[in-house]
């Protein structure tokens, strides 16, 4: 045994015991999260590597017959789930007899998968991926017995990878990304992370910069394919819904604060109130006749009620909520702030807005998905924090589809100024659509890259793996 491998074995042993010692705290953590999101009280058995006995329901019986081992896809939360769905659909068409296991780490990711895959009844089983406890991940592989695993973006769990290697389950990291801060964190635990990275059969990076950073952790990605988020299909039903909402708002300017994170709503509301009460000279006569309208859509549904209370406290009145849009008699002429307390409707909210202030970028969260807003033709104002979408943000700004402000307090004034400039807003809308179209193709490149390993694990496909993805209307 070399000195390096000895250090790695010690590191993983200590890591495993750390998880074991933390096990009593995990239940407390789930209970704490459930105070705001009751879904965290569900499916605890799965998080610890236990599943109910197989039943004859369409969702489970195929996985335990031993005849066909499933394709396993792991997408931790909403963004990863949405990004991988077009790829998952292509695989479902290519191997129609192979069951698919879709695992998640959050209730919102699980709900997104269930909502968006209703058209594949009986093909998809969903579960939480267990915590990285040695016994839990061992039970995961014994129970599901996957033929191959596709892990989306940045998930590296040392015990999970080691168990996959023991069970001879090839792992492919797709759409992989690694920020500079994640690289620095990984290098601090190199003896633990490097074997896990090397345990992947294939790594497919989003960008060349991601590939270079990942290479520093033990394995150079074989392919750089771009970001799968560019290849998400348009939802024409949601877009039409949003345009219908926009008509109901009249001629007012509509600013959307999209996918906001904790702390950002207060910042947005303070800025909005300041602009409305003390006119910024740059904004001229904005709102003199028809006051602008603000829509806030929090990233996490467990925060809807807290954000509603925050809006009431800042604005002195309760916000209108998503359900008001279902009533054709609702008058929005005096609505100052609308709370978008719904899931799975972001494309509708983008269609209803003139300009988007991107959540996650105002405070140091690394930004949420600006690509979806650009693809919908909605100009984007970014705050200073975009490390999760660094290359996409830089390219969007270069295309003149987005604007970035260094001071997050400037996001609302800049968004209002842009919304009032119809010529510039129209040009940015067209640039956003062109930017998204120019960066498509990651899905096809990813499918080409994983094809040989997929065929080796699942058998020859009955349909071409690389075909144009369908435009799905949900």
């Amino acid at each position: 045994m070399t000195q390096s491998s000895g250090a790695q074995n010690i590191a993983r042993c200590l890591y495993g015991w750390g998880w074991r010692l933390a096990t009593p705290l995990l239940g407390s953590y789930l209970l704490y999260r459930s105070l705001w999101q009751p879904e965290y009280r569900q499916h605890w058995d799965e998080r610890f590597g236990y599943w109910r006995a197989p039943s004859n329901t369409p969702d489970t019986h195929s996985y335990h017959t031993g005849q066909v081992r499933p394709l396993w896809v792991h997408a931790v939360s909403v963004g990863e789930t949405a990004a991988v769905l077009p790829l998952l659909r292509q695989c479902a068409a290519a191997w129609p007899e192979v069951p698919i296991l879709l695992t998640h780490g959050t209730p919102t990711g699980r709900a997104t998968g269930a909502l968006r895959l209703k058209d594949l009844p009986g093909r998809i089983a969903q579960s939480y991926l267990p915590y990285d406890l040695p016994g839990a991940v061992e039970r995961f592989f014994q129970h599901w017995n996957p033929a191959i695993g596709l892990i989306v973006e940045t998930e590296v769990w040392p015990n999970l990878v080691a168990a996959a290697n023991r069970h001879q389950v090839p792992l492919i990291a797709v759409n992989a990304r690694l920020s500079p801060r994640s690289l620095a964190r990984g290098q601090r635990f190199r003896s633990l992370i490097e074997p896990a990275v090397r345990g992947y059969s294939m790594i497919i990076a989003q960008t060349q910069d991601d590939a270079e950073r990942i290479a520093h952790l033990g394995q150079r990605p074989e392919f750089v394919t771009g970001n799968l988020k560019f290849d998400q299909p348009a939802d024409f039903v949601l877009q039409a819904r949003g345009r219908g909402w926009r008509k109901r708002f009249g001629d007012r300017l509509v600013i959307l604060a999209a996918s906001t994170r904790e702390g950002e709503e207060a910042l947005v509301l303070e800025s909005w109130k300041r602009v409305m009460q003390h006119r910024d000279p740059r904004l001229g006569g904005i709102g003199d006749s028809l006051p602008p309208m603000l829509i806030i859509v929090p990233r996490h549904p467990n925060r809807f009620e807290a954000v509603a209370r925050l809006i009431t406290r800042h604005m002195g009145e309760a916000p209108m909520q998503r359900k008001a849009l279902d009533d054709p008699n609702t008058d929005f002429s005096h609505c100052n702030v609308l709370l978008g307390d719904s899931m799975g409707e972001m494309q509708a909210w983008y269609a209803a807005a003139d300009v988007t202030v991107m959540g996650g970028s105002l405070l140091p969260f690394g930004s949420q998905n600006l690509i979806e807003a650009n693809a919908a033709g909605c100009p984007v104002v970014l705050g200073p924090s975009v490390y999760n979408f660094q290359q996409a943000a830089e390219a969007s700004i270069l295309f003149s589809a987005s604007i970035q402000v260094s001071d997050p307090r400037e996001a609302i004034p800049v968004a209002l100024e842009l919304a009032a400039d119809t010529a510039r807003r129209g040009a940015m809308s067209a640039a956003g659509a062109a930017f998204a179209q120019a960066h498509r193709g990651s899905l096809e490149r990813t499918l080409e890259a994983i094809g040989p390993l997929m065929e080796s694990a699942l058998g020859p496909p009955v349909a071409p793996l690389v075909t144009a993805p369908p435009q799905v209307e949900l």
Side-chain angles (χ1 to χ4, degrees), residues 138-458:
E138 181 66 25
R139 289 189 293 273
F140 172 81
F141 286 101
Q142 290 177 355
H143 180 82
W144 293 106
N145 191 28
I148 191 169
L150 305 182
I151 313 298
V152 185
E153 295 202 359
T154 55
E155 296 289 291
V156 178
W157 295 105
N159 287 329
L160 180 79
V161 174
N165 294 165
R166 284 196 305 274
H167 286 267
Q168 298 183 323
V169 178
L171 294 181
I172 305 176
V174 298
N175 216 42
R177 62 180 175 86
L178 188 72
S179 68
R181 77 166 57 180
S182 294
L183 171 60
R185 187 162 56 244
Q187 288 179 319
R188 286 200 299 272
F189 302 97
R190 190 176 191 90
S191 59
L192 184 65
I193 298 300
E194 183 174 316
V197 173
R198 289 184 180 275
Y200 277 83
S201 299
M202 178 184 290
I203 298 177
I204 300 171
Q206 290 185 19
T207 71
Q208 192 61 47
D209 288 342
D210 289 314
E212 293 298 326
R213 286 190 285 266
I214 293 169
H216 285 298
L217 293 181
Q219 181 179 175
R220 179 171 294 278
E222 294 183 46
F223 300 94
V224 175
T225 59
N227 194 334
L228 284 173
K229 289 183 170 72
F230 282 105
D231 289 84
Q232 294 178 49
D235 189 321
F236 302 117
V237 172
L238 285 180
Q239 291 179 358
R241 185 182 303 167
R243 288 192 293 269
W245 295 345
R246 184 65 183 87
K247 290 179 181 178
R248 297 184 63 187
F249 302 151
D251 294 330
R252 310 167 67 188
L253 302 180
V254 178
I255 305 300
L256 170 66
S259 297
T260 52
R261 305 284 294 273
E262 187 170 3
E264 292 185 322
E265 296 92 0
L267 194 156
V268 166
L269 288 164
E270 289 165 5
S271 183
W272 185 266
K273 192 173 180 179
R274 185 173 61 250
V275 169
M276 294 298 107
Q277 291 179 345
H278 308 288
R279 294 311 175 103
D280 188 313
R282 293 172 297 173
L283 305 183
I286 289 177
D288 287 345
S289 56
L290 291 170
M293 177 176 165
L294 173 66
I295 301 173
I296 298 179
V297 182
R299 170 67 173 169
H300 298 114
N302 60 297
R303 300 187 55 249
F304 288 162
E305 291 184 13
V307 174
R309 292 192 296 270
L310 187 71
I311 294 170
T312 302
R313 189 161 65 247
H314 276 78
M315 304 305 295
E317 60 182 23
M320 282 193 175
Q321 294 175 274
R322 163 66 181 86
K323 61 185 179 183
L325 289 160
D326 293 329
D327 182 355
N329 298 315
T330 302
D331 180 7
F332 290 93
S333 60
H334 299 291
C335 174
N336 294 312
V337 180
L338 173 65
L339 175 62
D341 51 349
S342 68
M343 276 190 62
E345 292 190 309
M346 279 311 306
Q347 291 195 39
W349 293 117
Y350 290 132
D354 295 315
V355 176
T356 289
V357 173
M358 187 51 58
S361 72
L362 303 180
L363 293 177
F365 296 111
S367 186
Q368 300 305 135
N369 184 7
L370 71 147
I371 297 169
E372 189 175 21
N374 282 157
C378 191
V380 173
V381 177
L382 295 164
S385 180
V386 295
Y387 59 81
N388 284 332
F389 289 87
Q390 188 70 46
Q391 188 176 60
E394 292 173 357
S396 180
I397 293 167
L398 191 63
F399 263 76
S400 299
S402 297
I403 300 171
Q404 187 172 26
V405 296
S406 57
D407 184 347
R409 294 171 297 183
E410 286 292 293
I412 288 296
V414 168
L416 283 166
E417 186 178 16
L418 173 58
D421 188 339
T422 54
R424 188 182 183 196
R425 171 162 45 101
M428 286 186 69
S429 176
F435 159 70
Q437 182 62 39
H439 288 81
R440 289 184 181 275
S442 175
L443 175 62
E444 182 174 347
R445 290 188 289 270
T446 300
L447 289 167
E448 288 178 345
I450 69 175
L453 265 178
M454 295 285 286
E455 186 168 346
S456 176
L458 301 176

Side-chain angles (χ1 to χ4, degrees), residues 76-99:
V76 63
S77 195
V78 175
E80 295 86 354
T81 302
V84 82
L85 289 183
L87 185 149
L88 186 153
R89 290 178 184 282
Q90 297 285 92
C91 293
W95 288 280
E97 299 302 319
V98 173

